[in-house]
Amino acid sequence: MPIPRGYSEAIVTPQQSRSVEAVWSYVATSSGRGVILPDGRCDLILRFREDQRGTVQPVVTGPATQPYEIRYAAGDGWVGVRMRPERGIAVWGNAIGTAKDQVRRGAEAVTLVPALAELVDMAPCEAELRAGLLDVPDVLAHQDVDARVARTVQQIHLTGGRVSVVELAARVGVTARHLGRLFQSSVGLGVKTYIGLVRFHRALRLAARGGVALSEVAFEAGFADQAHLSRAVRRFGGISPGRVPPELILPDVAGSGQGLFGAAGQF
Amino acid sequence: MKLGYTIIYVADVPATVAFYETAFGLTQRFVHESNLYAEMDTGDTALAFAADSAAEMNGLAFAPNEKAAVPAGWEICFVTDDVAGGFAKAVEEGCTPVTAPETKPWGQVVAYVRDMNGCIVEIASPIDQVRD
């Protein structure tokens, strides 16, 4: 795609959005429920009741591979920082190896991330909590990022997950086994699991763009056929094909900035 | 339809533009301020470079061009009267030699290198099309 001269609107690429910790927030204006699809990353979250002091509750998640259902009432709010995939270890330390699909709340979350302690006493104001939370990634204990893991994450996204672990390992000059250990101890997931998540999300996004038959989406996304795609949707989305909740929440894994609520309806 | 652009996806667009200027003597005609896209001055059909991350933004996925990887099955061909000189210059500026200049049975001199991103580039002498 050529980019024309003079087009100067800020372009944020997926790569850029993955290389920084992204802050997000949401305050519900009505009650409801939502399903958050897993993106393999760790989040630091503050949950609060708008305008009620003393309601700020810290939540720390491990790398997610399972869909997560939330129920909320009007005035429930969240602010969160989504960590880069390879920075799972910064949040969980050496416990990252067993952090998959784990959630720590309240005191347990503070034990894991002591810097959250002072935020708990803050006023339940979205803007102030956002600002406070954004400082937390900088003071986490493990700041080192293994360049080989970061490069592997990048490679998995560029190939849309159509790449073998052996090939990924060769590209960073280690054995597949060693890459598996490095990846697990940094991201908290196996390489293959992360590959599966990336393929799943790419398929969802291609489907959401519309105009292309689902069988073609399955092929382009690297699934042998539509049945394989459906299995991935069941595994990571917990959704039976044909029974998709309209309130599906897709994390912005590719960093495209597109809101995709209910976008996967055709599954 | 007509061929408008040949766009090669690379990790670093400005570095690739600079490389093509020194290694193959091309000149740039446009580098987008985002550094995600650039065009070389190659006439009506632009040779362009776009960032890997721009492809991902558009929903594309591919085997990224990389020096250490198996190259993709297509090439860029530059035509010059001095293939030996062009080949030597390209290698001196950082291309990896693949085959040194050799004369084909039909009289054309052909050499192959791989560029800084591992893409195959042919350097060949002009060939007069036989028309009847």
Side-chain angles (χ1 to χ4, degrees):
Chain A
M1 175 201 69
I3 304 175
R5 232 171 272 260
Y7 179 82
S8 57
E9 187 183 322
I11 302 172
V12 179
T13 67
Q15 191 174 337
Q16 284 160 348
S17 82
R18 270 198 306 280
S19 64
V20 297
E21 264 87 54
V23 63
W24 55 269
S25 60
Y26 178 65
V27 177
T29 53
S30 62
S31 64
R33 60 183 280 278
V35 176
I36 300 170
L37 291 182
D39 66 355
R41 305 194 214 181
C42 300
D43 285 75
L44 306 171
I45 301 167
L46 296 171
R47 189 170 183 169
F48 58 94
R49 286 283 306 159
E50 206 175 30
D51 303 327
Q52 281 181 31
R53 287 204 79 89
T55 58
V56 179
Q57 193 199 25
V59 180
V60 175
T61 76
T65 67
Q66 303 287 319
Y68 188 74
E69 186 183 314
I70 52 167
R71 292 175 184 280
Y72 48 82
D76 281 346
W78 296 262
V79 301
V81 170
R82 179 167 304 126
M83 302 295 292
R84 285 150 53 181
E86 63 272 25
R87 291 249 291 153
I89 187 175
V91 177
W92 289 80
N94 294 329
I96 186 66
T98 52
K100 186 178 92 162
D101 293 312
Q102 296 290 307
V103 179
R104 298 279 184 272
R105 296 183 180 83
E108 282 190 325
V110 173
T111 304
L112 203 55
V113 183
L116 291 172
E118 55 191 270
L119 300 175
V120 173
D121 298 325
M122 285 176 64
C125 159
E126 183 186 348
E128 286 173 32
L129 291 174
R130 264 183 90 107
L133 192 60
L134 201 51
D135 290 334
V136 174
D138 292 335
V139 299
L140 295 169
H142 297 76
Q143 290 291 344
D144 293 341
V145 172
D146 189 304
R148 294 166 296 189
V149 175
R151 186 144 174 254
T152 297
V153 168
Q154 172 70 358
Q155 197 75 14
I156 292 171
H157 281 272
L158 285 180
T159 56
R162 290 176 302 173
V163 63
S164 73
V165 180
V166 169
E167 197 179 329
L168 289 167
R171 289 212 172 193
V172 294
V174 298
T175 64
R177 220 181 129 113
H178 189 53
L179 179 65
R181 274 196 296 268
L182 291 172
F183 202 89
Q184 181 76 38
S185 64
S186 190
V187 180
L189 299 174
V191 183
K192 275 192 175 168
T193 304
Y194 196 82
I195 286 173
L197 280 166
V198 168
R199 288 204 307 179
F200 162 65
H201 278 286
R202 181 153 186 267
L204 278 187
R205 283 184 181 277
L206 290 175
R209 283 174 179 236
V212 175
L214 214 50
S215 56
E216 302 290 349
V217 165
F219 177 76
E220 169 57 27
F223 294 93
D225 53 33
Q226 208 173 319
H228 275 93
L229 174 55
S230 294
R231 273 203 287 282
V233 171
R234 259 195 301 267
R235 175 183 174 192
F236 295 119
I239 306 159
S240 311
R243 283 199 55 207
V244 180
E247 61 280 12
L248 197 63
I249 298 169
L250 278 177
D252 193 15
V253 175
S256 64
Q258 296 163 320
L260 283 173
F261 282 74
Q266 48 175 318
F267 287 102
Chain B
M1 282 197 281
K2 67 166 193 167
L3 179 60
Y5 305 84
T6 296
I7 303 177
I8 304 178
Y9 289 92
V10 298
D12 186 334
V13 170
T16 303
V17 168
F19 186 86
Y20 268 66
E21 288 185 323
T22 56
F24 302 116
L26 270 61
T27 50
Q28 57 173 277
R29 72 176 187 206
F30 167 50
V31 179
H32 191 265
E33 63 197 61
S34 64
N35 281 341
L36 293 174
Y37 178 73
E39 289 172 9
M40 307 307 286
D41 197 3
T42 52
D44 284 346
T45 305
L47 172 62
F49 301 105
D52 286 338
S53 51
E56 198 185 350
M57 194 166 64
N58 292 322
L60 300 177
F62 47 55
N65 293 311
E66 251 184 65
K67 207 153 192 169
V70 178
W74 64 290
E75 60 160 68
I76 295 291
C77 178
F78 291 121
V79 175
T80 175
D81 288 323
D82 180 14
V83 174
F87 175 77
K89 173 75 171 162
V91 172
E92 184 189 316
E93 296 296 340
C95 285
T96 309
V98 180
T99 61
E102 61 181 1
T103 305
K104 297 292 176 188
W106 53 91
Q108 191 185 22
V109 184
V110 171
Y112 287 101
V113 297
R114 290 180 67 191
D115 74 5
M116 64 173 282
N117 302 300
C119 299
I120 298 173
V121 177
E122 176 179 350
I123 302 168
S125 60
I127 186 163
D128 292 328
Q129 295 297 333
V130 178
R131 296 172 205 280
D132 49 19

